[in-house]
Amino acid sequence: QVQLVESGGGLVQPGGSLRLSCAASGSIFSIYVIGWHRQAPGKQRELVASIAQDGSTYYLNSVKGRFTISRDNAKNTVYLRMNSLKPEDTAVYYCNLRPSRSTIWSPSSWGQGTQVTVSS
């Protein structure tokens, strides 16, 4: 199974920026769709952004224009650049992957996540 490690979270003020990293090992990284998800306390996990092998991207409507997902296949790493952060972005952020023909994120690849807190 692919092992994923998230990093880059922290405490920022509203309007601030962070860059999250998702480092993968254990498989061929480039063949998968990679997604960033987030989960706030008491809320369901939601997909924030994803990027496919061909570079095509998806963004949750509430983050469009503020977040940018990118990947470096040589480094087996996916990034999420978050600008203009809002308090409602506060959550634990997770990355995961899936085959391009699947709609199911890898059940065995969820990591510990990285906490993002947006507060003044």
Side-chain angles (χ1 to χ4, degrees):
Q1 292 84 7
V2 178
Q3 305 293 322
L4 302 172
V5 179
E6 302 94 342
S7 63
L11 173 64
V12 297
Q13 295 183 331
S17 298
L18 286 172
R19 189 182 73 161
L20 307 183
S21 297
C22 172
S25 64
S27 189
I28 302 175
F29 182 80
S30 63
I31 69 173
Y32 297 104
V33 178
I34 311 297
W36 280 101
H37 307 73
R38 67 186 181 189
Q39 187 167 27
K43 297 183 179 180
Q44 292 184 311
R45 184 175 60 218
E46 62 183 350
L47 177 65
V48 176
S50 66
I51 185 166
Q53 183 181 9
D54 63 359
S56 60
T57 57
Y58 161 84
Y59 294 97
L60 185 67
N61 282 339
S62 62
V63 309
K64 287 181 178 178
R66 300 189 297 120
F67 291 10
T68 303
I69 189 170
S70 61
R71 65 192 297 169
D72 186 335
N73 290 331
K75 296 182 178 180
N76 274 6
T77 301
V78 169
Y79 305 97
L80 184 67
R81 175 67 176 179
M82 305 186 294
N83 295 326
S84 302
L85 283 163
K86 304 175 180 179
E88 52 262 45
D89 295 319
T90 296
V92 178
Y93 284 71
Y94 304 87
C95 62
N96 207 342
L97 74 174
R98 61 172 176 83
S100 61
R101 297 180 182 179
S102 176
T103 60
I104 302 173
W105 301 96
S106 176
S108 62
S109 297
W110 295 106
Q112 296 298 312
T114 186
Q115 176 72 50
V116 172
T117 302
V118 185
S119 176
S120 60

